[in-house]
Amino acid sequence: MKTELIQKAYEVAKERYAAIGIDTDAALEKLQKISLSLHCWQADDVVGFEPKAGSLTGGIQATGNYPGRARNIDELRQDVLKAASLIPGKHRLNLHEIYGDFGDKFVDRNEVEPCHFQSWIDWAKANDMKLDFNSTSFSHPKSGDLSLSNPNPEIRNFWIEHTKRCRAVAEAMGVAQNDPCIMNVWVHDGSKDLTVNRMYYRELLKDSLDQIFATEYKNMKDCIESKVFGIGLESYTVGSNDFYIGYGASRGKMVTLDTGHFHPTESIADKISSLLLYTPEVMLHVSRPVRWDSDHVTIINDETLELCKEITRCDALDKVHIGLDYFDASINRIGAYVVGSRATQKCMLQALLEPIATLREYEAAGKGFERLALLEECKSLPWTAVWDMFCLKNDVPVGEEFIADVQKYEQEVTSKR
Ligand code: RNT
Ligand code: ZN
């Protein structure tokens, strides 16, 4: 798109927003500071780089067979950089333990060390990217249905050791990047059929977590992620929402809200303010559940918009971390990163452009019609012109122009795999 046209449209939008008391330049500055944590697993359908990588287990599934998935560390790095080059702003990369640089060597999960992520740390530094991290309980012979809540001490200790070591890896990343690395603990533990031991498994999970978190670190932050159910684990989830809210609130740990991990009509946006009153920060996994936790690519929809608005309405830009978590193997994977990231940013921008002071005045004065009318009008204010300006400023393709870039990369790179 022509630069002048974008600038012209931006000037008009700026004036229009000024009329409702909103400074678009300030909104752009705030958006610039928001780093998304890009999930590395969209590039390769959650396979990772363990030399003997088997099938994906743990109740999650990447469906689709689109050609060109990243098959090794170099391809994944190349894909992530390509995606990042089409997303305005500076973003983080969220790694899972199974994405370590293991070479041909088999390093079992209870043997992982910071050295297996040294090349990632160097790569991230060279590319001015910060890292986040995840322990990996799935896709392993010892995964079964229960990991950290397994009654068999040998298996439970194996996963405790794994998760402890992952925290040490996260700490090393945090030290190297001089910024805390956020480490997410999500375990798939649950039961396909009825269980008569709900309490027992939760006691075990609680004890495992206490052991894992016993070491205090300064350069990493822990977060814990709940779920409703996994595939093949439909009847019971040990790490339910209630479990982790209780755990997080009592231990001062961040809770991760994955937008696909709740009952379909539950509002995830509504949970932010409650959590922030009891836990220091919040981690988000922004996804798009379609009827279930399907991990579709994030788009601009009411749920994502409301989620972003809650962050700004709670004045919590510095307390809510935005990670993405979807894995769609049915479309171009780099395109999936770009669409989902840009959609999330567009929702954040609309949230930053909300005339919250006026809306709150209306609300305080009991002016319900006025509040509703302004909320509705905001939906059709020219935020898209502000978005285009954001892309222009960040030197990334404006509007649909990135489609051609993704196609070119597909032609030249991913289609040849
Ligand atoms: C699974 C959780 C979890 C995973 C990643 C791969 O339901 O959402 O966050 O998607 O850790
Ligand atoms: Zn998640």
Side-chain angles (χ1 to χ4, degrees):
M1 221 186 283
K2 270 206 199 130
T3 306
E4 294 145 57
L5 210 65
I6 296 163
Q7 280 162 342
K8 240 196 218 161
Y10 179 70
E11 288 311 317
V12 175
K14 189 176 161 158
E15 239 181 270
R16 180 68 187 89
Y17 273 105
I20 57 158
I22 293 294
D23 177 349
T24 52
D25 289 338
L28 283 178
E29 264 171 49
K30 285 186 187 160
L31 188 61
Q32 196 70 52
K33 288 192 194 128
I34 300 175
S35 291
L36 303 176
S37 190
L38 303 179
H39 54 312
C40 73
W41 50 94
Q42 165 58 43
D44 78 329
D45 313 339
V46 214
V47 177
F49 308 130
E50 287 180 321
K52 294 189 285 189
S55 57
L56 182 57
T57 70
I60 50 178
Q61 217 169 47
T63 54
N65 219 346
Y66 200 83
R69 80 169 190 91
R71 295 160 302 178
N72 53 53
I73 209 160
D74 293 329
E75 290 181 353
L76 190 132
R77 285 175 182 165
Q78 194 186 0
D79 290 358
V80 166
L81 289 180
K82 183 69 209 177
S85 76
L86 302 173
I87 303 165
K90 220 184 246 185
H91 304 287
R92 304 170 71 96
L93 182 66
N94 194 9
L95 292 173
H96 244 282
E97 189 271 350
I98 50 173
Y99 289 79
D101 192 352
F102 306 119
D104 299 332
K105 207 174 141 232
F106 175 64
V107 177
D108 210 350
R109 306 267 173 101
N110 63 343
E111 296 165 343
V112 67
E113 288 181 46
C115 65
H116 301 117
F117 287 85
Q118 191 54 50
S119 77
W120 273 116
I121 292 172
D122 298 340
W123 175 86
K125 194 168 234 169
N127 291 288
D128 198 17
M129 222 183 229
K130 290 186 172 125
L131 299 172
D132 291 317
F133 200 51
N134 299 257
S135 52
T136 313
S137 70
F138 50 83
S139 306
H140 184 278
K142 285 193 171 67
S143 295
D145 289 350
L146 300 169
S147 63
L148 289 178
S149 64
N150 202 307
N152 178 337
E154 193 198 306
I155 297 180
R156 185 160 80 102
N157 286 331
F158 175 88
W159 292 111
I160 291 174
E161 182 63 25
H162 166 71
T163 320
K164 280 184 176 174
R165 283 169 175 261
C166 284
R167 289 182 81 232
V169 173
E171 174 71 7
M173 289 175 174
V175 170
Q177 64 199 18
N178 197 23
D179 186 73
C181 166
I182 299 185
M183 184 182 131
N184 188 51
V185 175
W186 169 73
V187 292
H188 58 278
D189 296 35
S191 171
K192 178 183 171 82
D193 215 330
L194 306 177
T195 170
V196 291
N197 279 315
R198 290 174 185 274
M199 179 63 114
Y200 180 44
Y201 302 129
R202 290 193 172 126
E203 278 169 353
L204 289 171
L205 179 56
K206 181 179 171 212
D207 178 75
S208 296
L209 292 172
D210 281 345
Q211 290 187 45
I212 289 162
F213 296 142
T215 309
E216 298 258 348
Y217 287 116
K218 287 202 166 60
N219 301 283
M220 60 87 63
K221 291 178 181 176
D222 300 293
C223 49
I224 44 183
E225 180 182 6
S226 71
K227 188 160 179 165
V228 177
F229 74 92
I231 303 169
L233 301 164
E234 292 87 354
S235 297
Y236 167 71
T237 304
V238 186
S240 60
N241 181 45
D242 315 66
F243 175 89
Y244 281 123
I245 300 262
Y247 193 88
S250 63
R251 307 293 197 272
K253 295 285 180 196
M254 247 191 279
V255 171
T256 301
L257 298 175
D258 183 309
T259 57
H261 290 194
F262 295 86
H263 294 285
T265 57
E266 246 180 298
S267 162
I268 289 74
D270 186 46
K271 299 174 190 303
I272 303 226
S273 49
S274 301
L275 272 179
L276 284 176
L277 288 174
Y278 298 103
T279 58
E281 295 168 83
V282 169
M283 181 73 210
L284 296 178
H285 276 187
V286 186
S287 180
R288 174 168 49 115
V290 177
R291 305 192 187 282
W292 68 291
D293 181 27
S294 59
D295 292 299
H296 279 59
V297 178
T298 302
I299 55 171
I300 303 175
N301 55 16
D302 287 347
E303 289 75 19
T304 317
L305 270 168
E306 205 57 23
L307 188 67
C308 293
K309 286 181 184 168
E310 270 306 306
I311 303 175
T312 54
R313 288 173 187 171
C314 292
D315 193 20
L317 282 173
D318 55 341
K319 292 195 198 107
V320 179
H321 307 277
I322 309 174
L324 301 178
D325 184 12
Y326 50 81
F327 26 102
D328 191 338
S330 74
I331 59 172
N332 181 297
R333 293 171 183 77
I334 286 95
Y337 272 123
V338 183
V339 170
S341 306
R342 287 171 70 127
T344 308
Q345 290 179 297
K346 287 176 187 168
C347 289
M348 268 320 303
L349 176 61
Q350 290 179 69
L352 291 165
L353 293 169
E354 190 175 64
I356 189 66
T358 311
L359 287 164
R360 285 190 170 142
E361 275 168 32
Y362 286 151
E363 185 161 318
K367 293 183 174 169
F369 145 70
E370 290 82 348
R371 180 186 56 195
L372 185 63
L374 187 53
L375 280 170
E376 274 304 286
E377 284 308 308
C378 285
K379 293 178 181 170
S380 50
L381 285 178
W383 65 269
T384 51
V386 185
W387 169 253
D388 287 349
M389 183 49 122
F390 188 62
C391 291
L392 183 72
K393 276 190 164 184
N394 281 279
D395 201 19
V396 300
V398 175
E400 72 285 359
E401 281 166 9
F402 72 88
I403 298 174
D405 290 76
V406 173
Q407 286 175 330
K408 184 163 178 268
Y409 186 75
E410 175 166 63
Q411 233 166 42
E412 291 170 0
V413 183
T414 52
S415 69
K416 303 210 167 113
R417 288 177 184 163

